[in-house]
Amino acid sequence: MGQTAGFAAGAWIIRQPASIPNTYRSGRLCPLWFFSVDMNLSTLNSEQAAAVRHDKGPLLILAGAGSGKTRVITFRIAYLMGQRGVAAGNILAVTFTNKAAREMRERVEEMVGKKAGKGMTVSTFHSLCVRILREDIEALGYKKNFSIYATADQVRLVKDIMQRVDVEGRKLDADRILYLISDAKNRLVPPEKFTVRWHDEYEYMAASVYPRYQKALKAYNAVDFDDLIMLTVRLLQEHPDVLEKYRQRFRYMMVDEYQDTNAAQYKLLRLLAGDHPNLCVVGDDDQSVYGWRGADLGNILEFEKDFPGTTVIKLEQNYRSTGTILAAANALIRHNIRRKVKALWTAGDPGRRIDYIRCMDEEDEARTVMERIHAERFRNELQYSDFAILYRTNVQSRAFEEQLRYENIPYVLIGGQQFFDRKEVKDTVAYLKVLVNHRDEVNLLRILNYPKRGIGETTADRLIRYSAKKQLPLWEVLRDPAAIEDLGEKSRAAIAAFVELMDRYRQRFNRHSLMVETMRELIDELGLEAEIYRNIEDPVKARRRVENIEEVASAMAGYLEREESPSLAGFLAKVSLLDDERPDRDSKEKKLQRDAVVLMSLHSSKGLEFPMVFMVGVEEEFLPHRKTLNEGVDVDEERRLCYVGITRAQRHLILLGAQKRKKYGTLQPRAASRFLEEIPAELLQQQISEERPVHSEEEQEKMAANFFAGIRGILDD
Ligand code: ATP
Ligand code: MG
């Protein structure tokens, strides 16, 4: 094998038997034929194989980055089905992102065959709960066609309630109120048990908003993200028959990235596991990076106590990174006190020293990365897709995107502004939500007069007041506008036309095979695109928004292709739960397979690996993040994030930071991250970037032109 191939795919490949065909040398799993009759576990080390073979009872695999945890879970699922005769329907595997779930499913299917894998549940916590609730939510007094409220819907509802609770309240930030509610839900605290702990005005406001918010959600037959878990837990607690059904169904459970589970997710697993838990969890306490979202490190640290009789397996060999990268990661994470000590080692070579480049400013940082990409590609015959640029906050991506376009380097940006948070997309989806669930008043009010159809604010106010007075859902009020005395004829006609339109499309969407055509006709009939062109002057911007609407239809087409029994409600659940991407004509995997540099936040990079990683903005205030510093909390979680970033690198790691950055229009000095001092100097090769000429005006113009060219594949605008 040539040096280059080994370089790109990771050192471990060299140790594999020569008979393995090249296609399977890329770290992916081998197909079934390769396992002979009884499954061949020889591509695993002895601890990994023991974990795969582990029979019944709780199993904890606590291991560092790149030690094969995810690989073990994947093998274990295949092994349970292939060797132990466990039915696919009895398997539940929970991962952290939809992408990870899809990958895991595909790999298992590669091993056991698509047909044999049918019926297993491999999903995120949220998707799992949607499935459970779709089946059984009626026991809690909701209807099965419930809406799922994402942040935008939640904020709208909370603002509305705040206005009603207290006129003063309008000055408070709705996001913070929502955060407090979300935090309570993650701790499984229902509205009636919400207590004020720090006695500030936000808490008092949250205490009065939370019960009303929850009541409104129920009246609208809607649930928010946190409800998905909290209500599922309640369902299982209050209805033993339902609990028993799922216990019987999910006899073997596997959870990846267990260190990032919160109290509600823990309770859910606890309930499903019952007294004889075949629960296998894998995780790394050093990679817990979702404390701010309620993740409780205690879940993994105390697993053995919580589940007596737990078998613990440690994996200590790292198969991903060079010795140098691993040594840096180990040295850094040693500074965290509350952790299980692990000794990660690699049989691979030490590899190159880690580069640390202190750049002039953010433009210089971006240009340096480009120069490195060109040089390394040429020198080591790498592909663009071998490079990842990782940053702490999504805003940092902008400078890199600009340079990548200028240099004509293909790239994919993962995450960033959520596609479904865009106005035009929200408007379109709001129609679909109301078509599925006409009690969804947040979305009903959103579309009532969008595009304008003659149901102005005064009319809407009258309708709302009437619905409150009569205690009737708004939709019922719309059905009978004649009953409201102070409405003009024109408004009545407009309302009747709206109701007729919605009824007609509700009927039509029932024909699932024609969903996409129906959707396009709905967009047409509503004149959504014309409305955008009317309201937005800049034609390029307007076109991009129109394309976004079309993108929703494409996403639906994709969903229809993949799903065996599709429905509009199913589609909406899918789009609400997209964790990190916008839908695209290309699936995310296809994009990752495309030869393009990957840009993403450190949080999104969890679980992934790349031959060459640029970690940028390694400065105080980015890493550790300003928020942490201001709040005076310890920086352990930020250190773990840094550890996650370092351990994504397989062959070479390049750290970068700027000496100055523009803030409020002026250049301000930046200090290097404290974490750099925690990496032994001998592992680092430092370089301070020289002052370089700024771009000429002509160059700058060209960059700007390129930047706004509206190239497809832009994930963030
Ligand atoms: P993370 O903590 O980042 O999630 P992980 O512990 O889940 O990492 P994996 O992603 O499963 O680790 O594995 C890391 C890399 O090592 C993958 O490329 C995987 O294919 C490879 N690998 C794992 N175990 C072995 C093995 N026994 N032999 C060869 N390669 C292996
Ligand atoms: Mg993993």
Side-chain angles (χ1 to χ4, degrees):
M1 178 187 293
Q3 215 241 314
T4 334
F7 181 88
W12 65 272
I13 289 162
I14 296 160
R15 291 190 300 278
Q16 285 203 336
S19 61
I20 297 181
N22 268 334
T23 18
Y24 299 113
R25 284 174 175 256
S26 63
R28 291 180 72 85
L29 305 175
C30 306
L32 182 62
W33 56 262
F34 203 74
F35 284 93
S36 69
V37 182
D38 75 338
M39 201 172 143
N40 181 358
L41 301 182
S42 71
T43 56
L44 302 174
N45 65 35
S46 59
E47 291 81 16
Q48 291 176 329
V52 169
R53 282 202 204 95
H54 171 83
D55 192 15
K56 292 205 152 112
L59 171 65
L60 166 66
I61 303 169
L62 185 71
S67 56
K69 297 182 294 297
T70 304
R71 187 170 151 112
V72 162
I73 291 205
T74 314
F75 266 73
R76 184 167 159 76
I77 300 173
Y79 186 82
L80 284 170
M81 288 196 274
Q83 299 296 305
R84 291 273 160 79
V86 175
N90 289 148
I91 299 230
L92 167 65
V94 183
T95 66
F96 209 72
T97 61
N98 290 311
K99 173 181 174 298
R102 275 197 301 276
E103 269 176 12
M104 188 173 284
R105 167 179 293 281
E106 280 168 15
R107 290 185 184 192
V108 173
E109 283 172 357
E110 275 175 37
M111 286 191 272
V112 301
K114 209 168 170 133
K115 220 166 150 197
K118 211 171 152 204
M120 62 180 172
T121 306
V122 183
S123 75
T124 62
F125 273 107
H126 288 100
S127 306
L128 167 69
C129 289
V130 170
R131 281 182 56 174
I132 294 179
L133 293 177
R134 286 260 182 251
E135 220 172 295
D136 291 296
I137 199 169
E138 282 176 354
L140 295 177
Y142 291 75
K143 292 199 182 330
K144 286 183 179 177
N145 61 344
F146 59 86
S147 301
I148 301 171
Y149 276 10
T151 320
D153 299 324
Q154 293 176 279
V155 171
R156 224 174 150 116
L157 183 53
V158 164
K159 277 191 178 153
D160 188 35
I161 296 170
M162 278 163 71
Q163 276 183 19
R164 272 183 272 152
V165 169
D166 175 6
V167 185
E168 285 295 298
R170 262 182 275 184
K171 290 194 203 103
L172 296 182
D173 176 9
D175 288 342
R176 242 171 99 179
I177 304 288
L178 255 180
Y179 174 79
L180 290 172
I181 296 176
S182 165
D183 178 60
K185 289 186 176 182
N186 284 332
R187 290 182 287 116
L188 293 172
V189 177
E192 62 278 10
K193 297 225 172 92
F194 185 89
T195 47
V196 173
R197 291 184 290 179
W198 300 287
H199 301 278
D200 68 7
E201 54 182 348
Y202 275 95
E203 277 203 307
Y204 284 114
M205 181 53 105
S208 57
V209 171
Y210 186 15
R212 292 173 168 87
Y213 170 75
Q214 207 58 10
K215 213 169 138 198
L217 281 177
K218 189 155 185 194
Y220 301 167
N221 194 31
V223 304
D224 65 18
F225 275 178
D226 306 309
D227 276 345
L228 289 174
I229 317 266
M230 186 170 84
L231 291 181
T232 306
V233 167
R234 224 182 88 200
L235 174 73
L236 300 181
Q237 276 173 328
E238 293 174 6
H239 299 274
D241 51 327
V242 178
L243 175 60
E244 196 46 37
K245 178 172 85 177
Y246 289 104
R247 279 189 180 164
Q248 289 302 324
R249 188 178 298 175
F250 301 130
R251 301 222 191 124
Y252 289 84
M253 301 197 285
M254 262 79 39
V255 186
D256 199 358
E257 308 275 2
Y258 185 70
Q259 74 279 354
D260 279 319
T261 49
N262 62 30
Q265 290 160 338
Y266 170 79
K267 186 73 196 177
L268 177 67
L269 289 173
R270 186 80 255 190
L271 282 162
L272 287 174
D275 292 335
H276 306 287
N278 291 321
L279 173 63
C280 159
V281 305
V282 317
D284 177 4
D285 51 325
D286 291 332
Q287 293 187 68
S288 163
V289 290
Y290 280 97
W292 53 283
R293 237 161 53 180
D296 182 357
L297 199 44
N299 290 347
I300 194 160
L301 296 178
E302 275 139 46
F303 187 86
E304 289 167 76
K305 258 192 251 149
D306 288 349
F307 292 90
T310 293
T311 305
V312 182
I313 294 182
K314 286 193 175 178
L315 308 176
E316 300 193 319
Q317 181 168 3
N318 172 295
Y319 290 91
R320 178 180 293 148
S321 309
T322 63
T324 303
I325 293 168
L326 207 57
N330 283 342
L332 174 83
I333 205 63
R334 217 171 283 139
H335 288 80
N336 276 3
I337 294 160
R338 194 180 171 221
R339 64 183 287 260
K340 296 232 172 171
V341 175
K342 292 178 226 79
L344 264 187
W345 61 278
T346 173
D349 56 282
R352 292 159 68 178
R353 279 214 280 174
I354 297 166
D355 282 315
Y356 167 52
I357 311 172
R358 193 137 160 73
C359 305
M360 299 303 301
D361 52 28
E362 64 182 350
E363 191 193 324
D364 182 33
E365 187 185 38
R367 286 169 76 180
T368 308
V369 169
M370 302 308 127
E371 285 164 7
R372 281 304 184 102
I373 291 177
H374 286 310
E376 298 282 354
R377 251 185 106 229
F378 177 70
R379 201 179 307 147
N380 296 306
E381 289 182 39
L382 293 177
Q383 301 197 317
Y384 284 125
S385 54
D386 291 330
F387 298 92
I389 303 174
L390 308 180
Y391 36 79
R392 173 67 177 87
T393 61
N394 284 314
V395 288
Q396 288 168 264
S397 69
R398 179 66 100 191
F400 296 94
E401 281 183 88
E402 227 167 88
Q403 285 294 340
L404 286 159
R405 295 221 190 120
Y406 179 65
E407 304 268 342
N408 265 326
I409 298 177
Y411 71 91
V412 284
L413 180 102
I414 292 173
Q417 191 199 341
Q418 294 276 315
F419 177 71
F420 284 97
D421 279 348
R422 293 170 192 202
K423 182 183 178 304
E424 65 279 8
V425 177
K426 277 192 295 196
D427 291 332
T428 314
V429 171
Y431 271 95
L432 304 181
K433 284 189 169 171
V434 177
L435 285 168
V436 169
N437 168 26
H438 56 238
R439 298 216 314 214
D440 181 344
E441 280 186 24
V442 167
N443 285 300
L444 179 55
L445 287 170
R446 185 175 186 105
I447 60 172
L448 196 55
N449 201 33
Y450 184 87
K452 288 203 174 61
R453 56 168 66 86
I455 313 178
E457 263 181 42
T458 328
T459 311
D461 271 350
R462 283 188 187 137
L463 294 168
I464 294 168
R465 250 182 285 131
Y466 186 81
S467 108
K469 196 171 97 193
K470 297 278 177 188
Q471 297 275 305
L472 275 174
L474 188 58
W475 182 257
E476 299 305 321
V477 174
L478 293 178
R479 276 203 176 287
D480 185 18
I484 312 172
E485 279 162 13
D486 48 358
L487 281 188
E489 261 327 295
K490 262 195 184 159
S491 307
R492 288 211 175 113
I495 293 169
F498 173 67
V499 170
E500 183 276 326
L501 175 121
M502 295 302 275
D503 279 345
R504 188 154 39 87
Y505 276 94
R506 185 168 301 128
Q507 290 271 331
R508 295 187 53 187
F509 270 111
N510 281 338
R511 293 191 59 192
H512 299 143
S513 56
L514 294 178
M515 260 166 52
V516 180
E517 289 78 358
T518 308
M519 163 98 186
R520 294 214 162 99
E521 280 165 37
L522 173 67
I523 294 170
D524 252 12
E525 184 166 345
L526 291 171
L528 286 180
E529 301 188 348
E531 181 79 4
I532 289 177
Y533 281 115
R534 243 197 318 277
N535 291 331
I536 296 174
E537 269 177 34
D538 180 347
V540 177
K541 259 193 196 157
R543 201 186 66 230
R544 215 179 279 162
R545 299 216 171 160
V546 165
E547 280 175 3
N548 282 339
I549 295 185
E550 173 52 32
E551 210 71 67
V552 180
S554 310
M556 190 184 268
Y559 164 79
L560 219 58
E561 262 171 37
R562 282 191 303 271
E563 209 58 33
E564 275 166 28
S565 44
S567 68
L568 192 51
F571 171 68
L572 288 173
K574 272 267 157 26
V575 300
S576 311
L577 295 180
L578 280 180
D579 36 41
D580 52 358
E581 61 196 295
R582 80 167 182 176
D584 207 275
R585 275 164 241 278
D586 280 359
S587 67
K588 186 167 171 192
E589 282 91 316
K590 268 201 205 133
K591 278 200 247 151
L592 283 174
Q593 280 160 15
R594 223 166 61 195
D595 187 21
V597 173
V598 179
L599 275 83
M600 64 170 89
S601 70
L602 289 166
H603 280 102
S604 324
S605 74
K606 219 166 52 141
L608 304 179
E609 57 192 17
F610 300 91
M612 194 157 295
V613 168
F614 296 96
M615 231 168 101
V616 301
V618 187
E619 299 155 27
E620 290 288 298
E621 301 209 359
F622 271 152
L623 195 67
H625 192 269
R626 186 174 359 104
K627 262 194 308 204
T628 324
L629 301 175
N630 291 348
E631 285 162 16
V633 289
D634 64 37
V635 296
D636 288 8
E637 182 152 318
E638 297 291 308
R639 191 178 281 110
R640 290 193 291 265
L641 208 45
C642 186
Y643 175 82
V644 167
I646 293 176
T647 53
R648 298 311 96 198
Q650 292 173 296
R651 305 300 307 170
H652 191 42
L653 173 67
I654 304 174
L655 308 171
L656 297 102
Q659 297 170 47
K660 286 183 191 146
R661 240 171 235 278
K662 235 190 212 136
K663 207 172 170 188
Y664 311 120
T666 56
L667 274 180
Q668 306 206 344
R670 306 277 292 179
S673 167
R674 67 190 67 185
F675 299 142
L676 285 162
E677 285 169 24
E678 297 172 1
I679 299 174
E682 65 272 18
L683 303 178
L684 289 179
Q685 175 139 333
Q686 289 215 34
Q687 190 184 319
I688 296 190
S689 152
E690 304 269 313
E691 192 103 41
R692 64 166 95 213
V694 291
H695 283 297
S696 69
E697 251 173 52
E698 198 187 326
E699 275 178 320
Q700 281 182 13
E701 255 171 41
K702 195 170 155 207
M703 277 174 69
N706 265 350
F707 189 64
F708 292 113
I711 305 159
R712 287 214 60 76
I714 307 162
L715 291 181
D716 184 50
D717 77 356

